């Protein structure tokens, strides 16, 4: 029998420059190529995207990738485009013409992969367009977002099974880096996977060292962070819990002459993109971020990930810390732990999972604020101000989500309108007759959407009405005609909220009180597990493996890769708060501009190091000119291989790991020119 991976390896080599699959990838790709649904759990840096990208290139039809973040989509598409693979994304950063162009490319078959957020399927005819084009494979990235037991549950991901149905039940692969056994079961059930292949690769990352340093306060954290950055050269990520802390730490590092930039959700899209590209392009050494940064970011040479404060779950911590050392080189993950950090997460949990009294209080406030038709034009701050006691804006926002999920509220969008039927049903028949007409068809569609609420006024999504377009002005032209006849009153709405049944008791609605309590308990359990990791008195690596249900955690003891097992040999110590002005940090020459210190390539001679640095400089220039992350041009391992054994021809370049035909065609001649400038070993004195 023919090896199902034979053709897949050819695609892997020609498109990605890799000779074979890694553990986990091999089993996942084989299952997908055989037509099976699959649930793939690979650690951060394990190459999850290969598990659907390779099959996508081997089959007819479009592969749709559900992805939760704009930055994640852009990063993946940039990397694929750099390899000559036709991929695109559709999200809110695009205008209508750009979106239409990308769907046209889906129809004509010129795209192989399309990245889309789950929310996009709530707009227009997205599912219909894709189903008509023929979806060959559905990939659900960051699939832990589906499970309420996961660390990053997102309500929009609960609709993924409905999306799958709307796309025609295509073969599906779900992928994540962090899923306990309970989360894995929940993902498979929520997606309705059919006899899925479950691929769980080891969570152990042998190149990472794990450290927890006890801290007394912010000043000691700052001093220890600076000491860590001086000890460990190369790119670094620092995670903090709040935007305020992110901004302060980034500014403090910059004052210590450590080039750092802040990243959080409070920055606008252009600022976030600029910071991300500066870090990926090696133009800044340190990025200080909230959890808004990092999902799907594939910078392979991060040498240090420091958590300035404890995370709320071990899943989130493992995922973020695992962004260190994705190229397999030795790297460090350090948690600066102070017990009061727990209080921040308890506040977040209380706000994200409000108790029943807060939800009821928000509902009562909405009733007082509602205008005709149940419309509420107020933000969370105004609603909080109408409630007794002190309730945070975030808690109000969470309560609003609970009410929306319980069908108490409608979320008003730009395609929505307030419509009230002024004629009685008998009058509609008398005036319009029983025969087909645009006016009667529209009124029937409105009644199907809103029911008896239409007589008092209801919010209706005009974009989603089951009503054929009657002409160039569509639904609104018919509504205007009906309004002139006195049949309806209507108006477009700006963004806001609307009560479905103003004045109705909350008990009438199917609010999931039990689920709300269950998620709150789960979040507190996850916080407790994170705290136990911080205080573990034995091997931290084994603690993590057991938590994720990895068999390698059973009986694991002395790993030699965490502070508990290293004992006196551990490399880091707690620093005392600095007094006076801190000395200039490495990486900034006197009188010069900040520049990130370079990692000293391991075991390279001076001559090889010179070639390595010349290749890095070339890569940085190409990345800057193409506005690409540096790693999508070529990874460090490819540069190191060329530094040690310089290729002399295109044929030699073809044998360098990470250089496939697409990279060879695009960069081959330029690489040979760079290498020709520096003498090769043994070339001295030759002509």
């Amino acid at each position: 029998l023919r090896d199902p991976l034979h053709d897949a390896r050819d695609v892997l080599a020609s498109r990605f420059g890799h000779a074979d699959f890694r553990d986990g990838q091999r089993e996942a790709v084989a299952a997908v190529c055989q037509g099976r649904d699959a649930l793939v759990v690979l650690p951060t840096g394990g190459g999850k995207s290969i598990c659907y990208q390779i099959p996508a290139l081997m089959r007819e039809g479009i592969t749709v990738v559900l992805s939760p973040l704009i930055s994640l989509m852009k990063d993946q598409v940039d990397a694929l485009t750099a390899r000559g693979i036709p991929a695109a994304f559709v999200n809110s950063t695009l205008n209508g013409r750009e979106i239409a162009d990308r769907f046209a490319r889906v129809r004509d078959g010129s795209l192989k992969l399309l990245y889309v957020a789950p929310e996009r399927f709530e707009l227009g005819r997205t599912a219909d367009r894709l189903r008509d084009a023929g979806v060959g494979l559905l990939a659900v990235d960051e699939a832990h977002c589906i499970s309420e037991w996961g660390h990053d549950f997102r309500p929009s991901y609960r609709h993924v099974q409905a999306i799958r149905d709307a796309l025609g039940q295509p073969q599906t692969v779900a992928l994540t880096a962090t899923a306990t056994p309970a989360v894995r079961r929940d993902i498979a059930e929520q997606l309705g996977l059919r006899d899925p292949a479950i691929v769980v690769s080891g969570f152990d990352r042998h190149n990472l060292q794990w450290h927890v340093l006890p801290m007394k306060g912010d000043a000691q954290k700052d001093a220890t962070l600076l000491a860590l950055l001086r000890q460990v050269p190369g790119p670094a990520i620092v995670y903090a819990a709040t935007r305020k802390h992110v901004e302060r730490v980034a500014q403090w590092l910059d004052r210590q002459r450590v080039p750092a930039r802040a990243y959080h959700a409070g920055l606008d899209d252009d600022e976030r993109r600029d910071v991300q590209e500066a870090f990926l392009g090696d133009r800044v050494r340190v990025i200080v971020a909230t959890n808004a940064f990092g999902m799907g970011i594939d910078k392979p040479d991060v040498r240090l990930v420091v958590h300035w404060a404890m995370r709320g779950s071990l899943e989130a911590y493992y995922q973020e810390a695992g962004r260190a050392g994705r190229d397999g080189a030795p790297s460090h993950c350090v948690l600066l732990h102070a017990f009061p950090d727990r209080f921040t997460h308890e506040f977040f949990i209380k706000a994200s999972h409000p108790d029943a009294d807060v939800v009821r209080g928000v509902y009562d406030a909405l009733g007082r604020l509602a205008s005709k038709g149940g419309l509420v034009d107020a933000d969370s701050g105004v609603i909080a101000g109408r409630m007794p006691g002190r309730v945070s804006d975030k808690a109000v926002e969470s309560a609003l989500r609970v009410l929306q999920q319980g069908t108490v509220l409608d979320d008003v969008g730009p395609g929505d309108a307030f419509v009230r039927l002024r004629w009685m049903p008998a009058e509609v028949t008398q005036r319009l007759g029983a025969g087909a007409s645009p006016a009667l068809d529209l009124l029937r569609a409105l009644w199907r959407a809103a029911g008896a609420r239409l007589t008092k006024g209801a919010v209706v999504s005009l974009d989603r009405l089951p009503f054929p377009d009657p002409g160039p002005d569509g639904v609104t032209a018919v509504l205007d005609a009906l309004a002139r006849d006195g049949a309806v009153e209507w108006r477009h709405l700006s963004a806001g909220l609307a009560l479905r049944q103003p004045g109705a008791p909350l008990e009438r609605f199917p609010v999931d009180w039990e689920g709300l309590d269950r998620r709150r308990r789960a979040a507190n359990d996850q916080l407790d597990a994170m705290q136990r990791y911080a205080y573990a008195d034995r091997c931290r690596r084994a603690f993590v493996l057991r938590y994720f249900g990895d068999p390698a955690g059973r009986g694991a003891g002395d790993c030699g890769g965490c502070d508990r097992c290293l004992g006196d040999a551990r490399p880091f110590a707690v620093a005392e708060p600095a007094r006076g002005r801190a000395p200039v940090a490495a990486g900034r020459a006197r009188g010069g501009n900040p520049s990130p210190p370079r990692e000293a390539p391991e075991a390279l001679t001076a001559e090889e190091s010179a070639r390595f640095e010349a290749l890095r400089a070339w890569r940085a220039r190409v990345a800057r000119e193409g506005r690409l992350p540096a790693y999508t041009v070529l990874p460090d391992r490819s540069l190191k291989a060329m530094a040690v054994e310089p290729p002399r021809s295109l044929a030699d370049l073809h044998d360098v790991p990470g250089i496939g035909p697409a990279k060879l065609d695009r960069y081959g001649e330029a690489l040979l020119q760079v290498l020709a400038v520096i003498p090769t070993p043994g070339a001295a004195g030759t002509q």
Side-chain angles (χ1 to χ4, degrees), residues 115-191:
Y115 289 75
V116 189
E119 293 85 353
R120 172 60 50 178
F121 289 87
E122 300 173 11
L123 304 172
R125 298 181 57 253
T126 298
D128 294 338
R129 290 174 171 180
L130 292 172
R131 185 182 61 248
D132 292 345
V135 177
L137 180 66
L138 175 64
V140 183
D141 205 4
E142 308 299 342
H144 58 272
C145 296
I146 292 172
S147 175
E148 67 179 36
W149 306 108
H151 71 280
D152 195 19
F153 170 64
R154 302 190 181 204
S156 64
Y157 261 62
R158 278 298 200 196
H159 304 306
V160 173
Q161 185 172 12
I163 292 170
R164 186 186 185 203
D165 293 342
L167 293 176
Q169 287 275 327
Q171 181 188 357
T172 300
V173 55
L175 310 104
T176 180
T178 48
T180 62
V183 171
R184 297 198 287 270
R185 289 191 295 272
D186 199 25
I187 291 171
E189 180 180 339
Q190 294 298 328
L191 274 175

Side-chain angles (χ1 to χ4, degrees), residues 89-433:
F89 58 77
V90 171
N91 60 38
S92 59
T93 66
L94 305 178
N95 59 40
R97 180 175 298 177
E98 290 171 321
I99 291 173
D101 174 69
R102 295 182 186 200
F103 276 115
R105 293 175 64 195
V106 170
R107 285 196 304 274
D108 66 23
S110 60
L111 274 181
K112 293 302 295 179
L113 295 108
L114 184 71
Y115 289 75
V116 189
E119 293 85 353
R120 172 60 50 178
F121 289 87
E122 300 173 11
L123 304 172
R125 298 181 57 253
T126 298
D128 294 338
R129 290 174 171 180
L130 292 172
R131 185 182 61 248
D132 292 345
V135 177
L137 180 66
L138 175 64
V140 183
D141 205 4
E142 308 299 342
H144 58 272
C145 296
I146 292 172
S147 175
E148 67 179 36
W149 306 108
H151 71 280
D152 195 19
F153 170 64
R154 302 190 181 204
S156 64
Y157 261 62
R158 278 298 200 196
H159 304 306
V160 173
Q161 185 172 12
I163 292 170
R164 186 186 185 203
D165 293 342
L167 293 176
Q169 287 275 327
Q171 181 188 357
T172 300
V173 55
L175 310 104
T176 180
T178 48
T180 62
V183 171
R184 297 198 287 270
R185 289 191 295 272
D186 199 25
I187 291 171
E189 180 180 339
Q190 294 298 328
L191 274 175
L193 298 181
R194 299 176 291 257
D195 185 29
I198 309 292
V199 178
V200 182
S201 182
F203 282 87
D204 201 0
R205 299 271 304 282
H206 292 285
N207 63 311
L208 300 184
Q209 286 195 3
W210 304 84
H211 311 268
V212 178
L213 302 179
M215 298 283 112
K216 295 178 181 177
D218 290 359
Q220 191 173 41
K221 287 185 179 184
D222 290 346
T224 302
L225 172 61
L226 186 60
L228 291 169
L229 290 169
R230 287 175 177 158
Q231 284 181 259
V232 182
I237 302 174
V238 179
Y239 282 105
T242 66
R243 299 177 188 180
K244 179 179 178 181
H245 281 133
V246 164
E247 293 282 359
R248 189 196 66 75
V249 172
Q251 292 169 8
W252 183 82
L253 287 175
D254 215 42
R255 288 197 300 272
Q256 310 310 310
R257 300 187 180 182
V258 177
R261 297 282 299 274
Y263 186 104
H264 54 71
L267 304 178
D268 64 35
D269 290 344
D270 289 339
E271 288 178 296
R272 287 201 301 273
R273 184 163 50 250
D274 179 62
V275 174
Q276 179 175 315
E277 290 178 353
F279 181 64
L280 295 176
D282 288 336
R283 298 192 301 277
V284 64
R285 180 192 175 194
V286 181
I287 190 165
V288 185
T290 61
N291 61 351
F293 176 80
M295 189 180 283
I297 300 301
D298 188 17
K299 184 171 175 59
D301 59 343
V302 174
R303 291 291 158 256
L304 175 67
V305 173
V306 178
H307 278 76
W308 194 87
M310 183 179 72
R311 290 291 275 119
S313 73
L314 198 54
E315 291 97 327
Y317 178 73
Y318 177 83
Q319 185 179 55
E320 291 170 355
R323 287 170 189 137
R326 295 181 72 150
D327 57 1
S331 304
H332 300 275
C333 310
V334 183
L335 169 61
L336 306 181
H337 179 259
F339 183 81
D341 292 344
R342 179 187 176 96
F343 303 149
T344 300
H345 292 291
E346 289 177 344
F347 171 82
F348 286 156
I349 291 171
K350 186 176 180 180
S352 298
H353 309 286
D355 59 32
D357 289 342
V358 173
V359 177
R360 294 179 189 280
V362 169
Y363 181 69
D364 292 342
L366 290 171
R368 293 190 292 271
L369 289 165
S371 61
K372 189 175 182 180
L375 298 174
V376 180
D377 184 14
D379 61 21
S380 57
V382 173
I383 297 170
R386 293 295 187 97
M387 297 176 62
R390 296 186 61 183
V391 179
S392 70
D393 291 4
K394 185 172 177 60
V396 170
E397 292 167 3
S398 299
L400 291 173
R401 284 195 294 273
V402 172
L403 293 172
Q404 286 171 316
Q405 292 161 20
T407 69
V408 181
L409 284 176
D410 284 322
D411 193 9
V412 179
D416 293 346
F418 172 77
V419 183
R420 183 169 76 91
L421 179 64
R422 300 178 65 182
W423 289 350
M424 298 298 290
E427 192 175 4
V428 171
T429 304
Q430 178 184 350
R431 289 177 179 252
L432 299 180

Side-chain angles (χ1 to χ4, degrees), residues 16 25 36 38 71 139 192 204-205 227 280 341 358 391 444 455 502 562 567 574 591 633 644 656 658 661 665:
F16 294 88
Q25 287 180 335
R36 296 186 65 186
S71 60
D204 201 0
R205 299 271 304 282
L280 295 176
D341 292 344
V358 173
V391 179
R444 286 170 174 163
T455 59
C562 75
V574 173
V633 178
V644 174
V656 174
D665 182 60

